[in-house]
Amino acid sequence: MKTTAEIRNDFIDFFKNNKHKIVKSSPVIPQNDPTLLFTNAGMNQFKSVFLNQEEPSYPRVVNSQKCIRVSGKHNDLDEVGKDTYHHTFFEMLGNWSFGDYYKKEAIVYAWKLLTDVWKFPKERLWATVFNDDSEAAEYWESATDINPVHILKYGKKDNFWEMGETGPCGPCSEIHYYSGDNPDGQSALKINADDPEYIELWNLVFIQYNRDKDGKFHPLPKKHVDTGAGLERIVAALQGKHSNYDTDLFKPIIDETAQLTGMPYNEESGMPHRVIADHIRMLSFSIGDGGMPSNEGRGYVIRRILRRAARYGRMLNMHEPFIYKLVDAVCKILGDVYPEIIERKEHIKQVVLAEEQSFGETLDKGLEVYLRIKQQLIDTNKSEIKGSDIFKLYDTYGFPVDLTQLIAEEDGFSVDLDGFADEMEKQKERARSVQAFRKNFDELDKEWIVLSEGADSEFIGYDNVESESVIRKYFIHDDIIHLVLDKTPFYAKSGGEIGDTGTIINADFELDVTDTIKLNDMIVQVCRLKSGSILKNPNVTAKIDVQKSNNIRANHTATHLLHAALRTVLGDHVHQKGSLVTAERLRFDLTHFAKIDSVDLEKIEDIVNQKIRENIGVVDKIQDYDSAKKSGAMALFGEKYDDVVRVITIGEFSKELCGGKHVRRTGDIGLVKIISESSVAAGIRRIEAVTGHKAIEFIRNKERILDSAIVSTGTTVGTFSKYIDELIARNKELEKKLAEETTKNIEDDIDNLLKASPKVGEITLFSHQYDSNTIDDLKKVGDIIRNKLEYGVGLIISVSDGKPFMVVVVTDATIKKYHLHAGNLVKELGKMLGGGGGGRPHMATAGGKYPEKIPEVFEKFHQLINKAVSGKTKQ
C-alpha cells in the first residue's frame, strides 16, 4: 500500500518528467490578493497569468498546494466530520499549462497517471464534460481507453469554470471514481449526485474564453489548462479506505486524540475525533502561515474553527486544553513537505493553547447565560427557547446548536430552529454589507496610455538614486497619475517597507512621486502633476528623495538587527510577524507570549547598538531558495518566495531573505532607540523604535522633560527618583485615609437612612438617590446595605451628565425565602427610565435617559416588593 508521501511524489515526478516546473505551495494566507480570505485553490497564485496581467515564468508547472475552504462559495465547514471526505484544510495536486498544451494532452496525462502509475481500475473511472464541449468528449473517447459509456455530459452548474462574473472562464472535465463493492452495478445517475461511493478525484479546467460585462464570450489569445486533484481523496482510494480519516494523513491524529481523551474512535460515533483531526490541520497551517485568531476577517474564521474543535473536545469529556498537543502529530505527518510548520511549531502550539484557555472561560459563561434563559422560561411559563437566544449562545459564547438542543431537551424545552436560521441569515447579510476587504487596485478601471514599447519596471534602486528613464505607459484616476518606466530607482512598497517618493521630470512637465506600488510585476509610480502636462515626450529623469531613502534603509537594516537580537535574548521561538519601515521610525511585530520587561528591552537595545558600533558590512547575495534556506537564512511568516531569492547577511549575526533596501554598513544606522513595547494580539508583541537623528531627538526630548521636572521639584538628577517614590507613597496614604473616612461617613449615613426605611413584613426597603458619578460607587453602597441587613432590598439611584443609573441589591436570606431577583427587578425599573439592565440575583444595574421619572421608579419599587412579599405570604 502506497503512503501519502509516495502518492504525492508520484504526481510531482510524473509531471516533472513531462517537462513541468515544480513550484512551491503559496501560503494559505494570501499576501497580494485582498479579495481572498484564504488560498482556496492551486490556481490562486497564477491568477494574474489567467487575467493576462503578467507573463508566466514557465509554460508548464506542477505543485501540491495548501488550501483552506471555510467561507463564501467554497464553504465545506458544515459537512466536515459528518461525511468522510469534506475538509477545511486539504492539499490540491495540480498541473498547469500556460498557452502550451491543451485539452488532449491534459486528458491523456491524467488518464496515464491514474491508470498506468497509480493502477486505478479503468472500469471504475468516469469522465464528465461540458454539454457543448464535443472536443473534450472526443479526446476522452479517442485518446484514452475509458469505457465510452462512462463519458457523461453535464451543464454549466457541474462542468463550466469561471473566475467571476467577468473574466477568464471555460469548460471543465471531471474524473470520478467508484469506490463501492459492486462495480457491476455502477450507475451514471449517481455521478454528481453527492453519493459517497462516487468520488470526484480530479478536475481539468480548460480556460479558453474571456467573458465581458455583457456576458459575451470572447476566445482568449492563449488557452490555458488548470487542474486540481484532491490529495486526500486520491490517497483514500489508493489505500483502499472508504473514509479519508482512515488514511495515514488523519489516522495518527485521531489515534493521538483517542489517547489524550481516553475516548476510543469508531466511525459511527467518531464525529468529534474527525472534526478535531481536520481542524487542527487547518489551524496549524493558517497560524503557521501568519494567521491569528481575532474578531474580524480571516482571524474570526480561525477563532471560529478553533472554538469548534474545542466544543467537540467537550463532547469527548475534555474540559482542559488538549488540542494544542495535536500539533506535534500534524508536524510528523506533513512537516517534511511543509517545513514551515516545524519551524513555527512552538508558536502554533502557544496560540492554540492560549485560545483554548480563553474559550474555556467563554463557554462557562455561556452555560451561565443558558441558565438565565432557562429561568426566564420557567418564570414566564414558556417551553420554547427563542431563535435569537440560540443565536446569542452560538455567536457570542460558541455554543453549537446541537449542544443547546441537547441541554434543552434534557430540561424539557423545545428550540426555535427556524428563528435561529433567520438570525444566521441576518448575520450573513451584515457580513456582506461590511465586507472588510478593500477594493483591489487591480479592479480600477485602467485605460493605459502607451507612450513607448518594450520591457518595463527594471528596478535599479539598490545601487542608484537617479536614472534616465523612458515612460512606457500611464493612466489617470481621480487626478492621480500612475505611470510605468522602463527602468526605475523607485522601490515599490513591499515586505513592510514603504514605497519611495521623489520626482520625475523632463522639459514638458514635473511630477511629484508620492508613492510607489507594485501591480503584479509592474512597478507603478503614483504621481501628482506639479507643472506642465504629459505630452508625447516619454524621456524623463527619475530621482528619489535621497535623504528619505537613506532613513528608510537605516530603519530596514535596524529591523534585521532587532530580529536577531530578540531571538538572542528571548529565544528561537521569536519570529517576525509583521513590520513597518518608514523614514521616521520602524515597527516590528514578533511572536512572544509575555510582555518584554525593561531589563530584556535594554539587553536587546544594547546588542543592536553594539552591532552598529562594530560597523559590520551588509552583504546582499542572489541565491536559489533551497540553498539560501540550507545556509541558515530566515524566511518570514506567510511569504511566498521565488526560486531565486535575495539574501541579506550581516556578519555572523543575521541572515534573512529580503528584497528591501539596506545600508552598506551597520554604522550607517548611527543609533537605535526602542520607544515602546506593547501587545497586538494574543502571542504577538510589538516593538517600535527610531534610528539616527530621530533617536537623538527622542532622547533629547526626554532629557528636556526630566530637566524641567527636576527644576520644578527642586531636586537633582541623583535625588529626583527618591523624591517621586516618596511623593507617590504619601499620595497613596492620603488616598487610603480619605477612602476610610468616606466609607465611614457613608456607613453612618446609611445607618441613619436604614433606621428611617419602611418595612414590608420583615424586609427592609432601602431607597435613596445619591450624588455620585459612577456605578461603582453605587455598588459599594449596595454591598454595605447587604452586609447590614438580614432581610432587605435596596434601590440606589444617581444621575450623571443628565442620565440616570441605578443599582438594585437583595440580601441572600431574602433571595432564599422570597425568591426575589435583583436582575428581574432592575429590568422592570430600567424600562421606566427609558433604558434597560440586568444582573445577578443579589445585585443588578440599569441605565436610562429620563431622570424626571426617578420618583415614579421609587414608587414602583415599593409596589413590586409589596406584591412579591404579599404573594409569598398568601402561599
Side-chain angles (χ1 to χ4, degrees), residues 364-582:
D364 290 338
K365 290 176 183 174
L367 283 169
E368 290 182 16
V369 173
Y370 173 79
L371 292 174
R372 288 204 293 270
I373 294 169
K374 173 184 171 181
Q375 187 61 48
Q376 287 171 359
L377 292 175
I378 293 170
D379 292 345
T380 56
N381 199 28
K382 292 180 181 178
S383 60
E384 183 178 70
I385 299 179
K386 294 185 295 184
S388 57
D389 286 333
I390 302 169
F391 178 77
K392 180 181 179 182
L393 285 166
Y394 170 82
D395 191 55
T396 306
Y397 298 100
F399 259 55
V401 179
D402 50 4
L403 180 58
T404 303
Q405 269 185 288
L406 183 66
I407 299 173
E409 286 172 7
E410 290 174 354
D411 289 336
F413 299 118
S414 60
V415 291
D416 177 15
L417 294 180
D418 290 338
F420 170 75
D422 290 342
E423 294 294 331
M424 285 292 288
E425 186 56 37
K426 290 176 187 175
Q427 185 198 51
K428 290 176 183 176
E429 285 296 327
R430 288 194 295 271
R432 284 191 281 267
S433 66
V434 295
Q435 177 63 279
F437 289 95
R438 62 176 174 79
K439 185 176 182 181
N440 195 355
F441 180 72
D442 297 356
E443 297 171 10
L444 289 176
D445 292 328
K446 299 185 290 292
E447 295 185 7
W448 290 101
I449 299 170
V450 178
L451 293 189
S452 64
E453 299 290 343
D456 63 64
S457 301
E458 177 191 354
F459 179 62
I460 60 172
Y462 290 134
D463 302 306
N464 299 275
V465 298
E466 183 176 338
S467 69
E468 298 302 317
S469 301
V470 179
I471 298 176
R472 290 300 189 215
K473 56 186 177 180
Y474 72 92
F475 79 92
I476 301 175
H477 180 80
D478 290 342
D479 296 326
I480 305 296
I481 300 166
H482 302 76
L483 61 83
V484 177
L485 304 173
D486 64 331
K487 60 179 181 290
T488 178
F490 287 88
Y491 179 83
K493 180 176 4 181
S494 179
E497 181 178 329
I498 64 169
D500 274 327
T501 60
T503 59
I504 295 175
I505 60 173
N506 67 12
D508 297 327
F509 60 81
E510 181 174 356
L511 301 175
D512 280 333
V513 180
T514 59
D515 197 5
T516 308
I517 59 177
K518 263 202 166 186
L519 176 56
N520 300 311
D521 286 339
M522 287 189 300
I523 296 175
V524 180
Q525 281 77 195
V526 181
C527 315
R528 286 191 177 275
L529 186 64
K530 189 173 182 180
S531 63
S533 59
I534 295 182
L535 298 173
K536 295 181 180 180
N537 181 7
N539 299 305
V540 295
T541 299
K543 185 176 182 180
I544 65 173
D545 183 328
V546 177
Q547 183 59 56
K548 186 176 179 182
S549 178
N550 287 342
N551 292 342
I552 293 170
R553 287 175 182 269
N555 284 336
H556 199 152
T557 306
T559 64
H560 285 225
L561 294 176
L562 185 60
H563 191 185
L566 283 160
R567 288 170 64 86
T568 300
V569 174
L570 303 179
D572 290 341
H573 66 280
V574 169
H575 291 280
Q576 180 176 335
K577 191 64 180 60
S579 66
L580 175 66
V581 177
T582 72

Side-chain angles (χ1 to χ4, degrees), residues 114 134 139 161 165 176 197 207 349 375 377 399 416 461 473 490 583 600 610 686 773 778 789 834 839:
L114 288 169
S134 56
Y139 286 137
W161 178 90
E165 294 181 4
H176 298 252
E197 290 188 333
I207 303 173
K349 291 171 74 171
Q375 187 61 48
L377 292 175
F399 259 55
D416 177 15
K473 56 186 177 180
F490 287 88
D600 281 340
Q610 174 62 36
R686 171 170 291 172
N773 290 323
L778 298 192
L789 295 174

Side-chain angles (χ1 to χ4, degrees), residues 140-295:
W140 272 112
E141 193 162 348
S142 64
T144 76
D145 56 349
I146 191 173
N147 182 348
V149 175
H150 284 201
I151 304 170
L152 309 175
K153 291 188 174 184
Y154 287 88
K156 183 179 176 183
K157 176 179 177 289
D158 294 305
N159 280 84
F160 195 88
W161 178 90
E162 48 204 354
M163 186 179 288
E165 294 181 4
T166 61
C169 55
C172 62
S173 178
E174 295 178 343
I175 304 168
H176 298 252
Y177 173 70
Y178 172 68
S179 64
D181 299 326
N182 183 21
D184 293 333
Q186 295 178 68
S187 169
L189 297 176
K190 294 187 177 182
I191 302 294
N192 286 332
D194 288 328
D195 190 303
E197 290 188 333
Y198 293 80
I199 304 296
E200 177 197 332
L201 294 180
W202 205 338
N203 189 9
L204 316 177
V205 178
F206 310 121
I207 303 173
Q208 64 187 79
Y209 301 114
N210 183 62
R211 183 167 58 189
D212 64 24
K213 58 186 178 182
D214 296 322
K216 294 181 180 178
F217 293 98
H218 306 277
L220 289 169
K222 289 183 179 180
K223 298 176 181 178
H224 309 299
V225 172
D226 163 25
T227 88
L231 175 65
E232 289 77 6
R233 295 181 181 187
I234 290 173
V235 168
L238 289 175
Q239 292 184 356
K241 308 295 184 183
H242 287 293
S243 167
N244 294 356
Y245 294 98
D246 292 334
T247 68
D248 59 351
L249 276 168
F250 290 92
K251 196 65 167 62
I253 307 173
I254 288 174
D255 289 344
E256 183 67 14
T257 302
Q259 177 70 30
L260 290 169
T261 61
M263 301 287 283
Y265 171 75
N266 64 72
E267 188 167 333
E268 185 176 342
S269 62
M271 183 174 173
H273 295 77
R274 292 192 293 272
V275 169
I276 291 166
D278 172 273
H279 287 7
I280 191 57
R281 284 164 33 107
M282 180 272 183
L283 294 166
S284 295
F285 281 94
S286 59
I287 296 169
D289 277 349
M292 285 294 289
S294 69
N295 288 327

